Amino acid sequence: MISVIILGSGNVAHYLFKALNKSVDISVIQWYSRNLKQIQEFKSVVSITDDISKLDKADIYILAISDDAISSLSEQLPFENRLVVHTSGSVGIHDLDKKLRRGVFYPLQTFSKDVDMDFKHVPFCLEALEKVDLELLKTLANAMDSPYYKINTEQRQTLHLAAVFVNNFTNQMYRIGHEISDIKNINFDILKPLILETAKKVQNISPYMAQTGPAMRNDKKTIKRHLKALDNSMHKDIYELLTKSIKQTHGKKL
Amino acid sequence: MISVIILGSGNVAHYLFKALNKSVDISVIQWYSRNLKQIQEFKSVVSITDDISKLDKADIYILAISDDAISSLSEQLPFENRLVVHTSGSVGIHDLDKKLRRGVFYPLQTFSKDVDMDFKHVPFCLEALEKVDLELLKTLANAMDSPYYKINTEQRQTLHLAAVFVNNFTNQMYRIGHEISDIKNINFDILKPLILETAKKVQNISPYMAQTGPAMRNDKKTIKRHLKALDNSMHKDIYELLTKSIKQTHGKKL
């Protein structure tokens, strides 16, 4: 049985509490938050505290807090030589105080407060300074039925950047689709199956192989008509740049 | 029982044949292709032909052919006053020869040759010049268990444009995510659950509400670090433009 203490009260902390608490191989023995109110509802199932000096002894401490707070909270921890991990995509492992055994337990996923996530769909990026700690993190991911990958800090920061493209920028493509169709009184629902299928397709084939459309075919007539139809200059700029990018990827003349 | 003849042999034609052939309320009585080889394998289940003068009589003729061929093929049809629909997102309804009863039966989805699609996830955009023909197209969509929407030519062309954003451009975001992670020897599989979840999220909440990340938070430190990490100038340009677009959408200072 691995004992865990969670620190933080955001979406990741909430997700981890749920996922870890469900596992028979893990005991979440305490939950710390600066702001006790945000975890108050869990006080009947786990010991909660807002006092850093009252942290119990555990096998793993998980700092699921904002990037900026990681370094200073790790300094404040009133113990040494215990395994402390953060859950950030961009903070280095050495940003944790060196009095600790240090590691990273980064879930590469987008969490919403009220959306339940299948644990199998939350891959963890693991990093630790000691081999024995890495093994402990693997056991932790296994206990949640989550896939995991050994990833160093540079790779993790790259993944965080790649995630901006496949998540934030993709979502902005959806937003623009929404804006464009709203203007013509078109129900955005019509586009939803296409959005889902586009994401499903690259689960099995590469994005390179999955590409279709006017830019990929270098269909100048359609591209010209689309640019003419766009009257928002930002939409036009994005259409032009991404058309150019697709052509470049697929070896068409720019 | 509605009798249907399919003309064309691309992905849409293949999908329609499968979907329509499965329905008990529809009979696909003939399949035409200029190139008979491409539909040869179906000759035991449907009458096939490459001779336009040998088309049988049917309730609906579906032209699932390339945009450029629609107008001329419709002229060559050896009959008048029968319902002929095309399946294109961008061709106008009046591009069909006026000797015919004209309509559009546009499936808003991305089709791959060997991927089986749940019919429920293929919404059809319907357009017809006569009310009775529109009703027939509704019956056709219903018989396939597919959702449908009455959409005029201008709206359909707008949807086709919106589809470029949510499908082709989104797929290019995946491609860039793939490129970025490949360089650092990171398995693209790690990003796949995030890709799927991003698409799932907007099935229930608007893309506006679903947005997260450094651009949305106006997190200048992270944006700066990401731009520094990108050494491909096209990736850099896209990062900058889409960050600007997200800021604009969410009312951040540019």
Side-chain angles (χ1 to χ4, degrees):
Chain A
M1 180 75 86
I2 303 174
S3 60
V4 172
I5 292 177
I6 296 171
L7 298 92
S9 59
N11 289 346
V12 173
H14 275 84
Y15 170 78
L16 285 173
F17 177 73
K18 260 185 237 170
L20 293 168
N21 204 40
K22 251 187 198 162
S23 165
V24 292
D25 303 317
I26 296 165
S27 170
V28 181
I29 58 172
Q30 199 177 21
W31 192 347
Y32 162 90
S33 172
R34 230 176 10 177
N35 186 347
L36 217 49
K37 263 190 197 160
Q38 302 201 274
I39 54 172
Q40 198 78 43
E41 56 175 311
F42 298 95
K43 72 176 176 187
S44 62
V45 280
V46 63
S47 157
I48 64 173
T49 182
D50 60 357
D51 185 348
I52 195 110
S53 74
K54 298 238 172 82
L55 287 178
D56 290 331
K57 187 164 187 196
D59 296 321
I60 309 177
Y61 298 78
I62 304 180
L63 306 190
I65 58 180
S66 67
D67 289 5
D68 293 339
I70 290 171
S71 178
S72 72
L73 187 65
S74 78
E75 281 169 26
Q76 291 167 46
L77 292 173
F79 51 74
E80 298 184 349
N81 291 322
R82 295 186 199 162
L83 178 57
V84 175
V85 298
H86 72 65
T87 59
S88 162
S90 45
V91 173
I93 194 169
H94 294 284
D95 287 20
L96 292 164
D97 194 289
K98 67 176 187 299
K99 70 185 174 191
L100 307 163
R101 279 160 44 209
R102 293 168 279 178
V104 180
F105 196 65
Y106 168 50
L108 191 79
Q109 191 44 284
T110 173
F111 297 99
S112 314
K113 203 126 220 156
D114 300 315
V115 179
D116 268 332
M117 185 87 61
D118 188 332
F119 308 140
K120 286 183 196 64
H121 300 151
V122 182
F124 281 87
C125 302
L126 311 184
E127 186 177 3
L129 296 182
E130 303 295 332
K131 198 167 183 308
V132 54
D133 292 336
L134 186 68
E135 292 306 314
L136 200 54
L137 295 179
K138 285 182 187 173
T139 310
L140 198 64
N142 260 333
M144 291 191 289
D145 263 336
S146 296
Y148 58 82
Y149 301 84
K150 193 188 159 202
I151 292 289
N152 64 34
T153 291
E154 191 194 5
Q155 287 175 319
R156 182 162 38 83
Q157 286 164 348
T158 300
L159 272 169
H160 187 250
L161 171 56
V164 168
F165 281 87
V166 307
N167 174 329
N168 308 148
F169 292 167
T170 284
N171 188 71
Q172 185 67 359
M173 296 302 107
Y174 303 160
R175 164 68 190 178
I176 293 172
H178 196 173
E179 285 177 20
I180 292 173
S181 43
D182 250 11
I183 293 167
K184 305 281 181 194
N185 289 315
I186 302 163
N187 190 338
F188 184 60
D189 284 352
I190 309 182
L191 287 160
K192 289 180 180 176
L194 178 61
I195 286 173
L196 209 51
E197 191 60 31
T198 303
K200 275 188 193 164
K201 225 174 185 177
V202 296
Q203 305 295 312
N204 301 311
I205 62 172
S206 71
Y208 182 88
M209 293 303 295
Q211 193 58 282
T212 60
M216 158 85 184
R217 287 193 311 271
N218 203 6
D219 172 353
K220 292 190 183 101
K221 219 171 101 188
T222 301
I223 293 168
K224 205 173 156 188
R225 199 179 46 235
H226 281 170
L227 283 169
K228 211 181 146 203
L230 289 165
D231 39 31
N232 175 313
S233 70
M234 177 61 86
H235 296 172
K236 219 188 270 281
D237 289 350
I238 292 171
Y239 189 102
E240 275 180 329
L241 186 61
L242 295 183
T243 292
K244 199 171 148 191
S245 172
I246 293 172
K247 281 188 194 173
Q248 203 175 71
T249 296
H250 294 273
K252 309 286 175 190
K253 268 194 199 144
L254 295 182
Chain B
M1 180 75 84
I2 303 174
S3 60
V4 172
I5 293 178
I6 296 171
L7 298 93
S9 59
N11 289 346
V12 173
H14 276 84
Y15 171 78
L16 284 173
F17 177 74
K18 259 186 236 168
L20 292 169
N21 205 39
K22 250 187 198 162
S23 165
V24 292
D25 302 318
I26 296 164
S27 171
V28 181
I29 58 172
Q30 200 176 21
W31 192 348
Y32 162 89
S33 173
R34 230 174 14 175
N35 186 346
L36 216 50
K37 262 191 199 159
Q38 301 202 276
I39 55 172
Q40 198 78 41
E41 55 174 313
F42 298 96
K43 71 176 177 188
S44 61
V45 280
V46 64
S47 156
I48 64 172
T49 182
D50 60 357
D51 185 347
I52 195 107
S53 73
K54 297 238 172 83
L55 287 178
D56 291 329
K57 186 162 190 199
D59 296 321
I60 309 176
Y61 298 78
I62 305 179
L63 307 190
I65 59 180
S66 68
D67 289 5
D68 293 339
I70 290 172
S71 178
S72 72
L73 187 64
S74 77
E75 280 169 25
Q76 291 166 46
L77 291 174
F79 51 75
E80 298 184 350
N81 290 321
R82 295 186 198 161
L83 179 56
V84 175
V85 299
H86 72 64
T87 59
S88 162
S90 45
V91 173
I93 191 168
H94 293 285
D95 287 20
L96 291 164
D97 193 289
K98 67 176 188 297
K99 71 185 174 190
L100 307 162
R101 280 161 43 211
R102 294 168 278 179
V104 181
F105 196 66
Y106 169 49
L108 190 79
Q109 191 45 283
T110 172
F111 297 99
S112 313
K113 203 126 220 156
D114 299 315
V115 179
D116 268 332
M117 185 87 61
D118 188 333
F119 308 141
K120 285 184 197 64
H121 299 151
V122 182
F124 281 87
C125 302
L126 311 184
E127 187 176 3
L129 296 181
E130 303 295 332
K131 199 170 182 311
V132 55
D133 291 337
L134 186 68
E135 292 307 314
L136 200 54
L137 295 179
K138 284 182 188 173
T139 310
L140 198 64
N142 260 334
M144 289 190 289
D145 264 338
S146 296
Y148 58 82
Y149 301 83
K150 193 187 158 203
I151 292 289
N152 64 35
T153 292
E154 191 194 5
Q155 286 175 319
R156 181 161 39 83
Q157 286 165 348
T158 300
L159 272 168
H160 187 250
L161 171 56
V164 169
F165 281 88
V166 307
N167 174 321
N168 307 148
F169 292 168
T170 284
N171 188 72
Q172 186 66 0
M173 296 302 107
Y174 303 160
R175 165 66 190 178
I176 294 172
H178 197 173
E179 285 177 20
I180 291 172
S181 41
D182 251 11
I183 293 167
K184 305 282 181 192
N185 290 315
I186 301 163
N187 190 338
F188 184 61
D189 285 351
I190 309 183
L191 287 160
K192 289 180 179 174
L194 177 62
I195 285 173
L196 209 51
E197 191 60 31
T198 302
K200 276 189 193 163
K201 226 175 184 176
V202 296
Q203 306 294 312
N204 302 310
I205 62 172
S206 71
Y208 182 88
M209 293 302 295
Q211 193 57 282
T212 60
M216 157 85 183
R217 288 194 312 271
N218 203 6
D219 173 353
K220 294 191 182 100
K221 219 172 101 189
T222 301
I223 293 168
K224 207 174 155 187
R225 199 179 48 234
H226 281 169
L227 283 170
K228 213 182 144 202
L230 289 165
D231 40 30
N232 176 312
S233 70
M234 177 61 87
H235 296 172
K236 218 188 269 281
D237 289 349
I238 292 171
Y239 189 102
E240 275 179 329
L241 186 61
L242 295 182
T243 292
K244 200 173 150 191
S245 173
I246 293 172
K247 282 188 191 173
Q248 203 175 70
T249 296
H250 294 273
K252 309 287 175 191
K253 269 195 197 140
L254 295 182

